[in-house]
Amino acid sequence: MVSPTLPARYTFRTVHATGSHGLILCAVGPDGTLRAIKTVDPAGPFPPGLFGRELDIQASLNLPGIIPVLDRWNIDGVEAMAMPWLPERLSDRVPLKPAPARDLVCKLGRTQELMHSAEGIHRDITPGNILFSSPESREPWLADFGLAVRKGETDVPDIRPTQEFGMVAGGAWAGIAAVLRRRFGVLEVISTIMLKFVALDVVSWV
């Protein structure tokens, strides 16, 4: 992994997470608060222009429940964006009890409704892509728009939802419901309700 250069207005703290194509850094922003910096590995296999496309889509969705893009830059051909620091993932909270699971479904459902009304489709809603500001927070934020598309878009890169969430034997519904029940350990009815809007988000485009 090749670490990107940060603008002088940011102070690097640590590498928070790495993936196959990029990484998330923790840095101190111009206002003194922590920021999450997402960028791609310039030496990695990420197709040219794809991260910029993700950045454009996320930045255009200035909606409640969607992580905002606070800053963006391109240094030596490497693009990056700064977002609020939200270190807690939904996947860190399993198993969920029925009451908080229902609350989460309602809040994420509202975010999805707003996003779809704004002509955006996420296509990759997983426990790892739902973030919180702290372990105590009950306000979810939708992250990672690498697979997102705009409704009616025809010139879409050759990317698809992961096997685990959508492209599985038995169809999207069977695979998604099975994953939620296994990961969340909540009542089957809650798992089914929660995954309905995830499945609809995935299959509304593919």
Side-chain angles (χ1 to χ4, degrees):
M1 177 68 69
V2 179
S3 296
T5 301
L6 291 177
R9 58 186 178 275
Y10 290 91
T11 302
F12 173 79
R13 279 286 186 88
T14 186
V15 175
H16 179 62
T18 61
S20 59
H21 296 112
L23 71 166
I24 302 291
L25 309 176
C26 176
V28 179
D31 60 356
T33 61
L34 291 180
R35 293 284 180 253
I37 310 297
K38 184 174 182 179
T39 188
V40 296
D41 179 4
F46 211 77
L50 197 57
F51 182 67
R53 181 180 179 282
E54 171 187 347
L55 219 167
D56 289 341
I57 291 176
Q58 184 173 346
S60 71
L61 296 169
N62 185 22
L63 301 168
I66 291 179
I67 297 179
V69 176
L70 303 175
D71 195 2
R72 61 186 294 180
W73 58 85
N74 186 319
I75 298 178
D76 297 328
V78 180
E79 291 189 281
M81 64 175 161
M83 302 172 288
W85 178 246
L86 303 168
E88 174 100 347
R89 297 178 183 270
L90 178 58
S91 51
D92 299 328
R93 298 187 171 190
V94 296
L96 289 177
K97 295 182 179 180
R102 286 193 296 267
D103 180 62
L104 182 68
V105 170
C106 292
K107 290 175 178 176
L108 288 173
R110 285 194 291 270
T111 297
Q112 281 300 96
E113 184 178 12
L114 290 171
M115 184 176 175
H116 290 174
S117 296
E119 304 297 307
I121 304 174
H122 191 277
R123 299 202 306 156
D124 193 25
I125 301 175
T126 70
N129 287 340
I130 298 169
L131 308 183
F132 301 86
S133 60
S134 70
E136 297 75 28
S137 174
R138 294 295 178 265
E139 298 302 320
W141 293 85
L142 191 55
D144 197 340
F145 290 77
L147 294 180
V149 296
R150 296 182 177 93
K151 288 183 181 179
E153 194 171 14
T154 56
D155 183 20
V156 179
D158 187 18
I159 50 177
R160 291 292 186 273
T162 60
Q163 267 200 332
E164 187 177 37
F165 280 84
M167 304 301 173
V168 295
W173 284 85
I176 290 171
V179 169
L180 249 199
R181 287 195 294 272
R182 183 172 70 250
R183 286 191 174 186
F184 284 76
V186 297
L187 297 175
E188 181 171 348
V189 63
I190 302 300
S191 299
T192 303
I193 292 172
M194 185 168 188
L195 259 294
K196 277 187 178 180
F197 76 85
V198 177
L200 287 172
D201 184 72
V202 170
V203 303
S204 59
W205 181 84
V206 296

